[in-house]
Amino acid sequence: LLATSGLFALVYGFTEAARSKNPDDPGSTEVQGWGDPSTLTFLILALVLLVAFVIWERRARNPMLPLRVVLDRNRGGSFLVFLFVGAALYAMFLFLTYYFQVNLGYTPLEAGFAFLPFSLGIIIAAGFVSQLLPRVGPRALILPGLVMAIVGMLLLTQIDQDSNYWALVFPAMVIMSVGLAGVFIPAASTSLIGVESHDAGVASAMLNTSQQIGGSLGTALLNTVFAGAVTAYFVTNPPTSPDQAEQILPLAFLHGYHVAFFWGAALFACALIASIVLINAHKEDIPAEPAALGEPVD
């Protein structure tokens, strides 16, 4: 109850910052912002509830999340990597969907097909990564993989109203997908290094939960950043008529995408820092049996 309520308050606090000040006006670009009392209330409530959760888990005889699972250096680093990667990745899907349909005029089906190179890139690269992991160890795959993810995300900051999908979006997706294949598999393996058998289920669940929480937080946070960037664009380029506002809107959205993708790259960079500082496992530490790596991560 404490964990779920705390995370709900945190996500809702992020979304409150992006809420329109004039909900009755669909064209309003004014947002409440981070200093709004409603935003601050939910963020403070989230802090209180999550701290209470940690205190409860420390004192419980049979804790739902034994802190020893997350406080291990390699496991904690893996959870943080999945948290930051999930935050950046889910937001990328959101804003590219906007871009495909709002700016490029794709149908929902066409937009779905436009994401296929990303999925195929991860599937194909994962086979090679699985073979390399026992030979080179996790850090040799995670670090360059996250660098590739950053490069791919930064490429997306160059999209424009008339950008060619194959010349810009497709290469960015392939670079990002190949890089992330080098992150997911090694990080999933390091998340279970040294874990006791009775904690293996919790550790595996924590890995999936980290990614899902990251996706929720990242979508809420970067959507707020996106809304603020769109508002700032309208303030800098105020329309003088409804027709001009319609012409400016796609450009304002593009500016919002650029800002969101930049901060998505920053989240990947946070994952890179976490992996450099925390993950120090060697290839000898990786479980030899694939089954020991737990359930596959979505």
Side-chain angles (χ1 to χ4, degrees), residues 7-298:
L7 291 171
F8 169 81
L10 185 60
V11 173
Y12 199 79
F14 287 164
T15 59
E16 278 292 285
R19 187 182 296 276
S20 172
K21 286 186 176 181
N22 301 304
D24 296 330
D25 180 8
S28 175
T29 58
E30 290 187 284
V31 296
Q32 294 183 164
W34 296 103
D36 186 83
S38 176
T39 303
L40 291 175
T41 298
F42 278 101
L43 293 180
I44 293 171
L45 179 62
L47 178 62
V48 172
L49 290 171
L50 292 175
V51 169
F53 169 72
V54 173
I55 294 173
W56 184 282
E57 294 301 282
R58 290 187 63 183
R59 296 182 176 182
R61 179 176 298 178
N62 296 298
M64 182 180 69
L65 175 61
L67 297 184
R68 61 180 177 272
V69 172
V70 297
L71 293 180
D72 176 84
R73 179 171 181 168
N74 284 293
R75 293 196 295 269
S78 300
F79 299 147
L80 282 177
V81 166
F82 265 77
L83 180 77
F84 287 125
V85 168
L89 197 55
Y90 280 68
M92 180 274 290
F93 286 129
L94 173 66
F95 296 114
L96 269 187
T97 300
Y98 286 168
Y99 175 65
F100 290 149
Q101 296 187 231
V102 175
N103 295 83
L104 300 186
Y106 287 11
T107 65
L109 183 61
E110 290 171 334
F113 277 113
F115 281 110
L116 281 179
F118 183 87
S119 301
L120 293 175
I122 287 186
I123 293 171
I124 295 171
F128 294 98
V129 172
S130 298
Q131 299 299 317
L132 287 173
L133 179 58
R135 302 176 184 178
V136 301
R139 281 174 61 91
L141 295 169
I142 293 175
L143 301 188
L146 285 170
V147 170
M148 291 178 67
I150 293 170
V151 171
M153 190 71 83
L154 289 177
L155 277 177
L156 291 178
T157 65
Q158 305 304 308
I159 60 175
D160 207 343
Q161 186 66 25
D162 55 356
S163 294
N164 183 279
Y165 170 85
W166 296 104
L168 184 58
V169 179
F170 176 78
M173 279 190 173
V174 171
I175 293 172
M176 206 182 311
S177 64
V178 172
L180 289 176
V183 175
F184 289 143
I185 294 175
S189 67
T190 54
S191 70
L192 293 178
I193 286 178
V195 70
E196 299 292 337
S197 58
H198 56 275
D199 287 335
V202 175
S204 180
M206 185 63 193
L207 187 69
N208 284 275
T209 302
S210 297
Q211 186 183 29
Q212 302 302 326
I213 292 173
S216 299
L217 295 177
T219 302
L221 179 61
L222 293 187
N223 195 53
T224 299
V225 171
F226 168 78
V230 171
T231 299
Y233 190 91
F234 272 103
V235 171
T236 307
N237 305 276
T240 57
S241 67
D243 290 339
Q244 189 180 25
E246 289 186 7
Q247 295 174 355
I248 291 177
L249 186 60
L251 301 178
F253 271 37
L254 278 170
H255 175 65
Y257 304 150
H258 293 164
V259 174
F261 290 141
F262 172 81
W263 285 107
L267 289 170
F268 279 141
C270 290
L272 179 62
I273 293 171
S275 61
I276 291 173
V277 173
L278 296 174
I279 297 178
N280 61 358
H282 302 289
K283 60 183 179 181
E284 296 82 7
D285 302 320
I286 302 299
E289 293 295 329
L293 299 182
E295 296 297 325
V297 179
D298 293 335

